[in-house]
Amino acid sequence: MCGISGWIDFQRDLTREQHAIDAMCDTMSCRGPDARGTWVAPHAALGHRRLAIIDLPGGTQPMATPDGDVAIVYSGEAYNFTELRDELRRRGHRFTTDSDTEVVLHGYLEWGPEVAEHLNGMFAFAIWDTRTEQLLLIRDRMGIKPLYYYPTEHGVLFGSEPKAVLANPLAEKVVDANGLRELFAPVKTPRHAVWAGMREVEPGTIVTVDRTGLHEHTYWQLGAVEHTDDQQATVQRVRELLDDIVARQLISDVPRCVLLSGGLDSSAITALAGLELSRSGEQVRSFAVDFLGQAENFVPDEMRGTPDTPYVHDVAKHVGSQHQDIVLDPETLADPAVRRAAVQARDFPMGLGDMDQSLYLLFKAIREHSTVALSGESADEVFGGYKWFHDPEVRAADTFPWLAAVRSQQGQQPSLLEPGVRDALDLETYVADGYRDAIASVPTLDGEGDFDRRMREISYLHLTRFVRILLDRKDRMSMAVGLEVRVPFCDHRLVEYVFNAPWALKTFDGREKSLLRHATADTLPQSVVDRVKSPYPSTQDPKYAAALQRQVAELASTGSEALSLLDGEWLRGALRQDAGRIDTPTRYAFERALDMAAWFEIHRPTVKL
């Protein structure tokens, strides 16, 4: 896992611009704390920060062919690189390292851009071919690893994160109306990167840059095919896939662990990892986040009916993992330095509040023991685990399901935006247009009934819109501390297979995630098998919300450009609330205000409405 950056310019001599590629590369030192390298030619400059995972001495980047004609910078993991290396050897290729980067480079020499179709993994990489003066930007199928680019007059800038691109003097730090819409609308529009002029490489896509311009090619997308397996065969196939996926994703030359929440998803990954590692006499290591006093003082709410900790400990005992709870207190969660670190990691001020801070702190603690972690992320999107998948009112809503679910639970929330900004952005229309575009791209299956088609639409929205928000968050928070997080449930083989299973199969036992539960029940304690879905935990300690209120009051007294975008009258009213009784919408507003202020302080953007 690494950070990549680069600059292509067909008019400029980039051998004289070493300082610029160095600056771009150095913005991502956290992504790659183990090594730094650059490769510069007249019209191409590539930068790389390395987090060494496979072949520690041999995977140095940028990596080029012996004649220097082709160079690559690569971030991620190809879980099938050993099979590909064997195939390429049979085709006459010779290797000098044991790294997957060299396999991808030789794969390009053999197959050209189609190398992407041969890879199983999470990846974002760039290949510069001097012979054709062509750059390829290639991203994995599900968008696990990020990749951004910024077209210029004579070429392009690119990087794993926006901050790498913005470090180049050609990139302007401008956020226009559409950028603000992306900040304040709880959706992720394909290709949009918030910053004016910057784009995100779409998952499953190859962007080609040459003297004729930029060209985009989709090499993978979800398709609709008939599912012919019966219930037993489907459950068996899910288990077969998971066994293979977990075994592949445990391959590492550095210490690895599992993220455990006590839910079905992470518990299944922990149990399967434990089984796989036990074959070689190893013990799986697991980590969980907890909040001081939360297990003893937990109060059920609309989203979370049970605390995580008892189930975490049930799984750890059942699996026999070497387990550690990372316990956080409200003062640490509310620490402005922690918030700033989380906002800086995301390059984005509109996150998930304390859940961002706690995730960052969890990963920071884990990094003291492990370099690789397996996560249960994305199982809800793949198997249909969220409560709103099963709510008839939400399913019928003419908008993104997660937005309909929030409205159903909490009612229409007041806008946080200053009235003039709110009217100019017209977020309601922006979201509606995005929803229509998303629905128009859903693949169809001949003969599919109205209900199954609607459930296919909802699944598609989650797998192509919602999950990308969570994957981006997981990547940024983990890489900010040099931790590689792998997501087994995003293996494209599993996603394709389960996406096409009828909804009746996905809920055959009358519950959420039936296929996953029955595929892994033999590895789990009964308490977890029976547990109802509970999201990532959030602190319930009122001291956290009170700390936010004090920080926003201080922010309002000292001033911040970010506050000019927010409804000052509403915010002043919120500051008068009893510090011990701050409701969820108000706490959310405080977090957004503080995130925005941190973002403005870090990036100092120019806002153009």
Short mmCIF file of all heavy atoms in Angstrom, two decimals, residues 442-503:
data_model
loop_
_atom_site.label_atom_id
_atom_site.label_comp_id
_atom_site.label_asym_id
_atom_site.label_seq_id
_atom_site.Cartn_x
_atom_site.Cartn_y
_atom_site.Cartn_z
N VAL A 442 -28.69 1.52 -13.88
CA VAL A 442 -28.87 0.19 -13.28
C VAL A 442 -29.08 -0.85 -14.37
O VAL A 442 -29.94 -0.67 -15.24
CB VAL A 442 -30.07 0.18 -12.31
CG1 VAL A 442 -30.27 -1.22 -11.72
CG2 VAL A 442 -29.87 1.20 -11.19
N PRO A 443 -28.33 -1.94 -14.37
CA PRO A 443 -28.53 -2.99 -15.38
C PRO A 443 -29.86 -3.71 -15.15
O PRO A 443 -30.34 -3.81 -14.02
CB PRO A 443 -27.35 -3.93 -15.16
CG PRO A 443 -26.99 -3.75 -13.72
CD PRO A 443 -27.26 -2.30 -13.41
N THR A 444 -30.45 -4.19 -16.22
CA THR A 444 -31.75 -4.86 -16.12
C THR A 444 -31.65 -6.31 -16.56
O THR A 444 -30.73 -6.69 -17.30
CB THR A 444 -32.79 -4.15 -17.00
OG1 THR A 444 -32.36 -4.17 -18.38
CG2 THR A 444 -32.97 -2.70 -16.56
N LEU A 445 -32.59 -7.10 -16.09
CA LEU A 445 -32.66 -8.52 -16.44
C LEU A 445 -34.03 -8.80 -17.02
O LEU A 445 -35.07 -8.49 -16.41
CB LEU A 445 -32.44 -9.37 -15.18
CG LEU A 445 -32.31 -10.88 -15.38
CD1 LEU A 445 -31.05 -11.21 -16.19
CD2 LEU A 445 -32.26 -11.59 -14.03
N ASP A 446 -34.05 -9.36 -18.22
CA ASP A 446 -35.33 -9.65 -18.86
C ASP A 446 -36.19 -10.56 -17.99
O ASP A 446 -35.70 -11.55 -17.44
CB ASP A 446 -35.09 -10.34 -20.22
CG ASP A 446 -34.49 -9.40 -21.26
OD1 ASP A 446 -34.59 -8.17 -21.05
OD2 ASP A 446 -33.93 -9.89 -22.25
N GLY A 447 -37.46 -10.19 -17.85
CA GLY A 447 -38.39 -11.02 -17.11
C GLY A 447 -38.38 -10.79 -15.61
O GLY A 447 -39.12 -11.45 -14.87
N GLU A 448 -37.56 -9.87 -15.13
CA GLU A 448 -37.49 -9.60 -13.70
C GLU A 448 -38.72 -8.82 -13.26
O GLU A 448 -39.10 -7.83 -13.90
CB GLU A 448 -36.22 -8.82 -13.38
CG GLU A 448 -35.84 -8.78 -11.93
CD GLU A 448 -34.42 -8.26 -11.72
OE1 GLU A 448 -34.09 -7.20 -12.29
OE2 GLU A 448 -33.63 -8.92 -11.02
N GLY A 449 -39.35 -9.23 -12.17
CA GLY A 449 -40.54 -8.57 -11.66
C GLY A 449 -40.22 -7.21 -11.07
O GLY A 449 -39.07 -6.87 -10.80
N ASP A 450 -41.27 -6.41 -10.84
CA ASP A 450 -41.10 -5.05 -10.34
C ASP A 450 -40.38 -5.02 -8.99
O ASP A 450 -39.50 -4.18 -8.77
CB ASP A 450 -42.46 -4.36 -10.21
CG ASP A 450 -43.11 -4.08 -11.56
OD1 ASP A 450 -42.39 -4.12 -12.58
OD2 ASP A 450 -44.33 -3.82 -11.59
N PHE A 451 -40.76 -5.93 -8.08
CA PHE A 451 -40.15 -5.92 -6.75
C PHE A 451 -38.67 -6.28 -6.84
O PHE A 451 -37.81 -5.60 -6.25
CB PHE A 451 -40.86 -6.89 -5.81
CG PHE A 451 -40.22 -6.98 -4.46
CD1 PHE A 451 -40.37 -5.98 -3.52
CD2 PHE A 451 -39.42 -8.08 -4.12
CE1 PHE A 451 -39.76 -6.06 -2.27
CE2 PHE A 451 -38.81 -8.17 -2.88
CZ PHE A 451 -38.99 -7.15 -1.94
N ASP A 452 -38.33 -7.34 -7.57
CA ASP A 452 -36.92 -7.74 -7.68
C ASP A 452 -36.11 -6.68 -8.40
O ASP A 452 -34.93 -6.45 -8.07
CB ASP A 452 -36.80 -9.08 -8.42
CG ASP A 452 -37.06 -10.26 -7.51
OD1 ASP A 452 -36.80 -10.13 -6.30
OD2 ASP A 452 -37.53 -11.30 -7.99
N ARG A 453 -36.73 -6.01 -9.36
CA ARG A 453 -36.00 -4.94 -10.04
C ARG A 453 -35.71 -3.80 -9.07
O ARG A 453 -34.62 -3.24 -9.07
CB ARG A 453 -36.78 -4.42 -11.25
CG ARG A 453 -36.13 -3.17 -11.85
CD ARG A 453 -36.65 -2.79 -13.22
NE ARG A 453 -36.06 -1.53 -13.65
CZ ARG A 453 -34.80 -1.38 -14.08
NH1 ARG A 453 -34.00 -2.44 -14.14
NH2 ARG A 453 -34.35 -0.20 -14.45
N ARG A 454 -36.70 -3.46 -8.24
CA ARG A 454 -36.48 -2.38 -7.28
C ARG A 454 -35.37 -2.75 -6.29
O ARG A 454 -34.53 -1.92 -5.96
CB ARG A 454 -37.76 -2.05 -6.52
CG ARG A 454 -37.62 -0.93 -5.49
CD ARG A 454 -37.04 0.33 -6.11
NE ARG A 454 -36.86 1.40 -5.13
CZ ARG A 454 -36.10 2.48 -5.33
NH1 ARG A 454 -35.45 2.63 -6.50
NH2 ARG A 454 -35.99 3.41 -4.41
N MET A 455 -35.35 -3.99 -5.85
CA MET A 455 -34.30 -4.40 -4.93
C MET A 455 -32.94 -4.42 -5.62
O MET A 455 -31.90 -4.14 -5.00
CB MET A 455 -34.61 -5.75 -4.32
CG MET A 455 -35.87 -5.77 -3.45
SD MET A 455 -35.99 -4.37 -2.30
CE MET A 455 -34.55 -4.62 -1.27
N ARG A 456 -32.92 -4.73 -6.90
CA ARG A 456 -31.67 -4.65 -7.67
C ARG A 456 -31.20 -3.19 -7.73
O ARG A 456 -30.02 -2.89 -7.60
CB ARG A 456 -31.86 -5.21 -9.08
CG ARG A 456 -30.57 -5.20 -9.92
CD ARG A 456 -30.81 -5.70 -11.34
NE ARG A 456 -31.16 -7.10 -11.38
CZ ARG A 456 -30.28 -8.10 -11.34
NH1 ARG A 456 -28.98 -7.84 -11.23
NH2 ARG A 456 -30.69 -9.35 -11.40
N GLU A 457 -32.16 -2.27 -7.94
CA GLU A 457 -31.81 -0.85 -7.97
C GLU A 457 -31.20 -0.40 -6.65
O GLU A 457 -30.18 0.30 -6.62
CB GLU A 457 -33.05 -0.02 -8.28
CG GLU A 457 -33.56 -0.14 -9.70
CD GLU A 457 -34.85 0.61 -9.94
OE1 GLU A 457 -35.50 1.01 -8.95
OE2 GLU A 457 -35.22 0.81 -11.11
N ILE A 458 -31.83 -0.80 -5.55
CA ILE A 458 -31.34 -0.39 -4.23
C ILE A 458 -29.95 -0.97 -3.98
O ILE A 458 -29.05 -0.29 -3.46
CB ILE A 458 -32.34 -0.82 -3.15
CG1 ILE A 458 -33.62 0.03 -3.27
CG2 ILE A 458 -31.73 -0.68 -1.76
CD1 ILE A 458 -34.72 -0.38 -2.34
N SER A 459 -29.75 -2.23 -4.35
CA SER A 459 -28.42 -2.83 -4.19
C SER A 459 -27.39 -2.10 -5.03
O SER A 459 -26.27 -1.82 -4.58
CB SER A 459 -28.46 -4.31 -4.57
OG SER A 459 -29.27 -5.05 -3.70
N TYR A 460 -27.76 -1.77 -6.25
CA TYR A 460 -26.86 -1.09 -7.17
C TYR A 460 -26.47 0.29 -6.62
O TYR A 460 -25.29 0.69 -6.68
CB TYR A 460 -27.52 -0.94 -8.54
CG TYR A 460 -26.64 -0.33 -9.60
CD1 TYR A 460 -25.79 -1.11 -10.36
CD2 TYR A 460 -26.68 1.05 -9.85
CE1 TYR A 460 -24.98 -0.54 -11.35
CE2 TYR A 460 -25.88 1.63 -10.82
CZ TYR A 460 -25.03 0.83 -11.57
OH TYR A 460 -24.23 1.39 -12.55
N LEU A 461 -27.43 1.02 -6.08
CA LEU A 461 -27.15 2.34 -5.51
C LEU A 461 -26.13 2.23 -4.38
O LEU A 461 -25.24 3.08 -4.24
CB LEU A 461 -28.44 2.98 -5.00
CG LEU A 461 -29.47 3.38 -6.06
CD1 LEU A 461 -30.75 3.85 -5.39
CD2 LEU A 461 -28.91 4.46 -6.97
N HIS A 462 -26.26 1.21 -3.57
CA HIS A 462 -25.33 1.03 -2.46
C HIS A 462 -23.94 0.62 -2.95
O HIS A 462 -22.92 1.06 -2.39
CB HIS A 462 -25.87 -0.01 -1.48
CG HIS A 462 -26.94 0.53 -0.58
ND1 HIS A 462 -28.24 0.63 -0.98
CD2 HIS A 462 -26.88 1.01 0.69
CE1 HIS A 462 -28.96 1.16 0.02
NE2 HIS A 462 -28.15 1.39 1.02
N LEU A 463 -23.87 -0.21 -3.97
CA LEU A 463 -22.59 -0.72 -4.45
C LEU A 463 -21.85 0.26 -5.35
O LEU A 463 -20.64 0.09 -5.57
CB LEU A 463 -22.80 -2.05 -5.19
CG LEU A 463 -23.24 -3.22 -4.31
CD1 LEU A 463 -23.71 -4.39 -5.17
CD2 LEU A 463 -22.11 -3.66 -3.39
N THR A 464 -22.55 1.25 -5.88
CA THR A 464 -21.90 2.21 -6.78
C THR A 464 -21.92 3.64 -6.25
O THR A 464 -21.30 4.52 -6.86
CB THR A 464 -22.59 2.21 -8.16
OG1 THR A 464 -23.96 2.62 -8.01
CG2 THR A 464 -22.54 0.83 -8.79
N ARG A 465 -22.61 3.90 -5.16
CA ARG A 465 -22.65 5.25 -4.59
C ARG A 465 -22.28 5.22 -3.10
O ARG A 465 -21.27 5.76 -2.70
CB ARG A 465 -24.05 5.88 -4.76
CG ARG A 465 -24.49 6.06 -6.21
CD ARG A 465 -23.60 7.02 -6.98
NE ARG A 465 -24.17 7.42 -8.25
CZ ARG A 465 -24.11 6.73 -9.38
NH1 ARG A 465 -23.50 5.55 -9.39
NH2 ARG A 465 -24.63 7.20 -10.51
N PHE A 466 -23.10 4.56 -2.29
CA PHE A 466 -22.93 4.61 -0.84
C PHE A 466 -21.61 3.99 -0.39
O PHE A 466 -20.89 4.55 0.44
CB PHE A 466 -24.11 3.92 -0.15
CG PHE A 466 -24.19 4.17 1.33
CD1 PHE A 466 -24.48 5.43 1.81
CD2 PHE A 466 -23.99 3.16 2.24
CE1 PHE A 466 -24.56 5.68 3.17
CE2 PHE A 466 -24.07 3.39 3.61
CZ PHE A 466 -24.35 4.66 4.07
N VAL A 467 -21.29 2.83 -0.93
CA VAL A 467 -20.08 2.13 -0.46
C VAL A 467 -18.82 2.93 -0.74
O VAL A 467 -17.83 2.84 -0.02
CB VAL A 467 -19.98 0.72 -1.09
CG1 VAL A 467 -19.50 0.78 -2.53
CG2 VAL A 467 -19.07 -0.17 -0.27
N ARG A 468 -18.84 3.76 -1.76
CA ARG A 468 -17.65 4.53 -2.10
C ARG A 468 -17.34 5.57 -1.03
O ARG A 468 -16.17 5.90 -0.80
CB ARG A 468 -17.84 5.19 -3.47
CG ARG A 468 -17.93 4.18 -4.59
CD ARG A 468 -18.09 4.83 -5.95
NE ARG A 468 -18.34 3.84 -7.00
CZ ARG A 468 -18.58 4.13 -8.26
NH1 ARG A 468 -18.61 5.40 -8.65
NH2 ARG A 468 -18.80 3.18 -9.14
N ILE A 469 -18.37 6.10 -0.39
CA ILE A 469 -18.15 7.02 0.72
C ILE A 469 -17.40 6.31 1.85
O ILE A 469 -16.45 6.84 2.42
CB ILE A 469 -19.50 7.57 1.23
CG1 ILE A 469 -20.22 8.35 0.12
CG2 ILE A 469 -19.30 8.44 2.46
CD1 ILE A 469 -21.64 8.77 0.49
N LEU A 470 -17.84 5.10 2.16
CA LEU A 470 -17.24 4.35 3.27
C LEU A 470 -15.85 3.84 2.92
O LEU A 470 -14.95 3.84 3.78
CB LEU A 470 -18.15 3.18 3.64
CG LEU A 470 -19.58 3.57 4.04
CD1 LEU A 470 -20.38 2.33 4.42
CD2 LEU A 470 -19.59 4.57 5.19
N LEU A 471 -15.66 3.41 1.69
CA LEU A 471 -14.33 2.92 1.29
C LEU A 471 -13.31 4.05 1.28
O LEU A 471 -12.16 3.87 1.69
CB LEU A 471 -14.41 2.28 -0.10
CG LEU A 471 -15.15 0.94 -0.17
CD1 LEU A 471 -15.28 0.49 -1.62
CD2 LEU A 471 -14.45 -0.12 0.66
N ASP A 472 -13.73 5.22 0.82
CA ASP A 472 -12.83 6.36 0.82
C ASP A 472 -12.44 6.73 2.25
O ASP A 472 -11.27 7.00 2.55
CB ASP A 472 -13.50 7.55 0.13
CG ASP A 472 -12.57 8.73 -0.01
OD1 ASP A 472 -11.64 8.65 -0.83
OD2 ASP A 472 -12.75 9.74 0.71
N ARG A 473 -13.43 6.73 3.14
CA ARG A 473 -13.17 7.03 4.56
C ARG A 473 -12.20 6.02 5.16
O ARG A 473 -11.24 6.37 5.86
CB ARG A 473 -14.49 7.03 5.31
CG ARG A 473 -14.39 7.03 6.83
CD ARG A 473 -15.81 7.08 7.41
NE ARG A 473 -15.80 6.96 8.86
CZ ARG A 473 -16.06 5.84 9.53
NH1 ARG A 473 -16.34 4.72 8.85
NH2 ARG A 473 -16.05 5.82 10.84
N LYS A 474 -12.43 4.74 4.88
CA LYS A 474 -11.58 3.69 5.45
C LYS A 474 -10.14 3.81 4.93
O LYS A 474 -9.18 3.69 5.70
CB LYS A 474 -12.18 2.32 5.10
CG LYS A 474 -11.50 1.12 5.73
CD LYS A 474 -11.72 1.04 7.23
CE LYS A 474 -13.15 0.93 7.67
NZ LYS A 474 -13.70 -0.40 7.73
N ASP A 475 -10.01 4.08 3.64
CA ASP A 475 -8.66 4.21 3.07
C ASP A 475 -7.93 5.40 3.68
O ASP A 475 -6.77 5.29 4.10
CB ASP A 475 -8.74 4.39 1.56
CG ASP A 475 -7.38 4.73 0.96
OD1 ASP A 475 -6.60 3.82 0.69
OD2 ASP A 475 -7.09 5.94 0.79
N ARG A 476 -8.59 6.56 3.74
CA ARG A 476 -7.91 7.77 4.18
C ARG A 476 -7.50 7.68 5.65
O ARG A 476 -6.41 8.08 6.03
CB ARG A 476 -8.79 8.98 3.97
CG ARG A 476 -9.18 9.23 2.54
CD ARG A 476 -7.97 9.41 1.61
NE ARG A 476 -8.43 9.89 0.34
CZ ARG A 476 -8.68 11.17 0.07
NH1 ARG A 476 -8.45 12.08 0.98
NH2 ARG A 476 -9.14 11.52 -1.09
N MET A 477 -8.42 7.20 6.50
CA MET A 477 -8.11 7.13 7.93
C MET A 477 -7.00 6.12 8.22
O MET A 477 -6.14 6.34 9.08
CB MET A 477 -9.36 6.77 8.73
CG MET A 477 -10.44 7.82 8.70
SD MET A 477 -9.85 9.40 9.32
CE MET A 477 -11.25 10.43 8.92
N SER A 478 -7.00 5.02 7.51
CA SER A 478 -5.98 4.00 7.75
C SER A 478 -4.63 4.42 7.20
O SER A 478 -3.60 4.29 7.87
CB SER A 478 -6.40 2.66 7.14
OG SER A 478 -6.57 2.77 5.73
N MET A 479 -4.63 4.97 6.00
CA MET A 479 -3.35 5.35 5.39
C MET A 479 -2.74 6.58 6.04
O MET A 479 -1.54 6.83 5.92
CB MET A 479 -3.54 5.57 3.89
CG MET A 479 -3.90 4.31 3.12
SD MET A 479 -2.75 2.93 3.42
CE MET A 479 -1.25 3.58 2.72
N ALA A 480 -3.56 7.34 6.76
CA ALA A 480 -3.02 8.49 7.48
C ALA A 480 -2.05 8.06 8.58
O ALA A 480 -1.22 8.86 9.03
CB ALA A 480 -4.16 9.31 8.09
N VAL A 481 -2.15 6.81 9.02
CA VAL A 481 -1.24 6.30 10.04
C VAL A 481 -0.40 5.14 9.51
O VAL A 481 0.26 4.44 10.27
CB VAL A 481 -2.02 5.84 11.30
CG1 VAL A 481 -2.75 7.02 11.92
CG2 VAL A 481 -3.01 4.72 10.98
N GLY A 482 -0.40 4.93 8.19
CA GLY A 482 0.43 3.89 7.59
C GLY A 482 -0.08 2.48 7.84
O GLY A 482 0.72 1.55 7.96
N LEU A 483 -1.41 2.32 7.90
CA LEU A 483 -2.02 1.00 8.08
C LEU A 483 -2.76 0.62 6.81
O LEU A 483 -3.58 1.39 6.31
CB LEU A 483 -2.99 1.02 9.26
CG LEU A 483 -3.76 -0.28 9.55
CD1 LEU A 483 -2.82 -1.34 10.11
CD2 LEU A 483 -4.91 -0.02 10.53
N GLU A 484 -2.49 -0.57 6.28
CA GLU A 484 -3.21 -1.05 5.11
C GLU A 484 -4.42 -1.85 5.54
O GLU A 484 -4.29 -2.87 6.22
CB GLU A 484 -2.30 -1.94 4.25
CG GLU A 484 -3.04 -2.59 3.07
CD GLU A 484 -2.13 -3.39 2.18
OE1 GLU A 484 -1.25 -2.77 1.55
OE2 GLU A 484 -2.27 -4.62 2.10
N VAL A 485 -5.62 -1.39 5.15
CA VAL A 485 -6.85 -2.10 5.47
C VAL A 485 -7.38 -2.78 4.22
O VAL A 485 -7.59 -2.12 3.18
CB VAL A 485 -7.91 -1.15 6.06
CG1 VAL A 485 -9.24 -1.89 6.25
CG2 VAL A 485 -7.45 -0.60 7.40
N ARG A 486 -7.60 -4.07 4.32
CA ARG A 486 -8.12 -4.86 3.20
C ARG A 486 -9.59 -5.18 3.44
O ARG A 486 -10.02 -5.35 4.57
CB ARG A 486 -7.30 -6.15 3.05
CG ARG A 486 -5.82 -5.88 2.78
CD ARG A 486 -4.98 -7.15 2.74
NE ARG A 486 -3.58 -6.86 2.43
CZ ARG A 486 -2.62 -7.77 2.35
NH1 ARG A 486 -2.92 -9.06 2.59
NH2 ARG A 486 -1.39 -7.42 2.05
N VAL A 487 -10.35 -5.25 2.35
CA VAL A 487 -11.80 -5.41 2.46
C VAL A 487 -12.26 -6.64 1.67
O VAL A 487 -12.62 -6.54 0.49
CB VAL A 487 -12.54 -4.14 1.99
CG1 VAL A 487 -12.58 -3.10 3.07
CG2 VAL A 487 -11.89 -3.55 0.75
N PRO A 488 -12.25 -7.81 2.30
CA PRO A 488 -12.60 -9.05 1.59
C PRO A 488 -13.96 -9.03 0.91
O PRO A 488 -14.13 -9.63 -0.15
CB PRO A 488 -12.56 -10.10 2.71
CG PRO A 488 -11.59 -9.56 3.71
CD PRO A 488 -11.79 -8.08 3.68
N PHE A 489 -14.95 -8.35 1.50
CA PHE A 489 -16.29 -8.35 0.92
C PHE A 489 -16.37 -7.56 -0.37
O PHE A 489 -17.39 -7.60 -1.06
CB PHE A 489 -17.31 -7.81 1.93
CG PHE A 489 -17.56 -8.75 3.08
CD1 PHE A 489 -17.23 -8.38 4.38
CD2 PHE A 489 -18.12 -10.01 2.87
CE1 PHE A 489 -17.46 -9.25 5.44
CE2 PHE A 489 -18.34 -10.88 3.93
CZ PHE A 489 -18.01 -10.50 5.22
N CYS A 490 -15.30 -6.84 -0.74
CA CYS A 490 -15.27 -6.10 -2.00
C CYS A 490 -14.61 -6.89 -3.13
O CYS A 490 -14.41 -6.33 -4.22
CB CYS A 490 -14.57 -4.76 -1.82
SG CYS A 490 -15.63 -3.49 -1.13
N ASP A 491 -14.26 -8.13 -2.90
CA ASP A 491 -13.76 -8.96 -4.00
C ASP A 491 -14.82 -8.98 -5.10
O ASP A 491 -15.99 -9.32 -4.85
CB ASP A 491 -13.47 -10.37 -3.50
CG ASP A 491 -12.82 -11.24 -4.56
OD1 ASP A 491 -13.49 -11.57 -5.55
OD2 ASP A 491 -11.65 -11.63 -4.39
N HIS A 492 -14.44 -8.65 -6.31
CA HIS A 492 -15.45 -8.47 -7.38
C HIS A 492 -16.19 -9.77 -7.70
O HIS A 492 -17.34 -9.73 -8.14
CB HIS A 492 -14.80 -7.90 -8.64
CG HIS A 492 -13.91 -8.85 -9.38
ND1 HIS A 492 -12.60 -9.09 -8.99
CD2 HIS A 492 -14.12 -9.62 -10.47
CE1 HIS A 492 -12.05 -9.95 -9.83
NE2 HIS A 492 -12.94 -10.30 -10.73
N ARG A 493 -15.56 -10.91 -7.45
CA ARG A 493 -16.25 -12.17 -7.72
C ARG A 493 -17.44 -12.35 -6.79
O ARG A 493 -18.52 -12.78 -7.20
CB ARG A 493 -15.28 -13.34 -7.57
CG ARG A 493 -14.09 -13.33 -8.51
CD ARG A 493 -13.05 -14.36 -8.10
NE ARG A 493 -12.52 -14.08 -6.76
CZ ARG A 493 -11.86 -14.96 -6.01
NH1 ARG A 493 -11.67 -16.20 -6.48
NH2 ARG A 493 -11.39 -14.62 -4.82
N LEU A 494 -17.25 -12.02 -5.52
CA LEU A 494 -18.32 -12.11 -4.54
C LEU A 494 -19.41 -11.08 -4.83
O LEU A 494 -20.60 -11.39 -4.77
CB LEU A 494 -17.76 -11.91 -3.13
CG LEU A 494 -18.76 -11.98 -1.98
CD1 LEU A 494 -19.28 -13.41 -1.80
CD2 LEU A 494 -18.12 -11.49 -0.67
N VAL A 495 -18.99 -9.85 -5.15
CA VAL A 495 -19.95 -8.78 -5.43
C VAL A 495 -20.82 -9.16 -6.61
O VAL A 495 -22.06 -9.01 -6.56
CB VAL A 495 -19.20 -7.46 -5.69
CG1 VAL A 495 -20.18 -6.38 -6.16
CG2 VAL A 495 -18.48 -7.00 -4.43
N GLU A 496 -20.23 -9.63 -7.68
CA GLU A 496 -21.00 -10.01 -8.87
C GLU A 496 -21.98 -11.13 -8.56
O GLU A 496 -23.15 -11.10 -8.99
CB GLU A 496 -20.04 -10.47 -9.98
CG GLU A 496 -19.22 -9.37 -10.59
CD GLU A 496 -18.15 -9.90 -11.53
OE1 GLU A 496 -17.78 -11.09 -11.42
OE2 GLU A 496 -17.67 -9.12 -12.36
N TYR A 497 -21.52 -12.12 -7.81
CA TYR A 497 -22.35 -13.29 -7.54
C TYR A 497 -23.55 -12.92 -6.68
O TYR A 497 -24.70 -13.26 -7.01
CB TYR A 497 -21.51 -14.37 -6.86
CG TYR A 497 -22.25 -15.67 -6.63
CD1 TYR A 497 -22.51 -16.53 -7.69
CD2 TYR A 497 -22.69 -16.02 -5.36
CE1 TYR A 497 -23.19 -17.72 -7.48
CE2 TYR A 497 -23.37 -17.21 -5.14
CZ TYR A 497 -23.63 -18.05 -6.21
OH TYR A 497 -24.31 -19.22 -6.00
N VAL A 498 -23.32 -12.22 -5.59
CA VAL A 498 -24.41 -11.90 -4.67
C VAL A 498 -25.33 -10.84 -5.25
O VAL A 498 -26.55 -10.87 -5.03
CB VAL A 498 -23.85 -11.46 -3.30
CG1 VAL A 498 -24.98 -11.08 -2.35
CG2 VAL A 498 -23.00 -12.57 -2.69
N PHE A 499 -24.80 -9.91 -6.02
CA PHE A 499 -25.63 -8.87 -6.65
C PHE A 499 -26.74 -9.50 -7.48
O PHE A 499 -27.87 -9.00 -7.53
CB PHE A 499 -24.76 -7.97 -7.53
CG PHE A 499 -25.54 -6.95 -8.32
CD1 PHE A 499 -26.21 -5.91 -7.68
CD2 PHE A 499 -25.60 -7.03 -9.70
CE1 PHE A 499 -26.93 -4.97 -8.41
CE2 PHE A 499 -26.31 -6.09 -10.45
CZ PHE A 499 -26.98 -5.06 -9.80
N ASN A 500 -26.44 -10.61 -8.12
CA ASN A 500 -27.42 -11.23 -9.01
C ASN A 500 -28.30 -12.28 -8.34
O ASN A 500 -29.20 -12.84 -8.97
CB ASN A 500 -26.71 -11.83 -10.22
CG ASN A 500 -26.32 -10.77 -11.23
OD1 ASN A 500 -27.18 -10.15 -11.84
ND2 ASN A 500 -25.02 -10.51 -11.36
N ALA A 501 -28.07 -12.56 -7.07
CA ALA A 501 -28.96 -13.46 -6.35
C ALA A 501 -30.28 -12.75 -6.08
O ALA A 501 -30.29 -11.60 -5.65
CB ALA A 501 -28.32 -13.89 -5.03
N PRO A 502 -31.41 -13.39 -6.31
CA PRO A 502 -32.71 -12.76 -6.06
C PRO A 502 -32.85 -12.36 -4.59
O PRO A 502 -32.27 -12.97 -3.70
CB PRO A 502 -33.72 -13.85 -6.44
CG PRO A 502 -32.98 -14.78 -7.34
CD PRO A 502 -31.56 -14.75 -6.87
N TRP A 503 -33.66 -11.33 -4.35
CA TRP A 503 -33.85 -10.84 -2.99
C TRP A 503 -34.40 -11.93 -2.08
O TRP A 503 -34.07 -11.99 -0.89
CB TRP A 503 -34.77 -9.63 -3.00
CG TRP A 503 -34.91 -8.98 -1.66
CD1 TRP A 503 -36.01 -8.94 -0.87
CD2 TRP A 503 -33.87 -8.31 -0.93
NE1 TRP A 503 -35.74 -8.27 0.30
CE2 TRP A 503 -34.43 -7.87 0.29
CE3 TRP A 503 -32.53 -8.03 -1.18
CZ2 TRP A 503 -33.71 -7.17 1.25
CZ3 TRP A 503 -31.80 -7.34 -0.23
CH2 TRP A 503 -32.38 -6.92 0.96
#
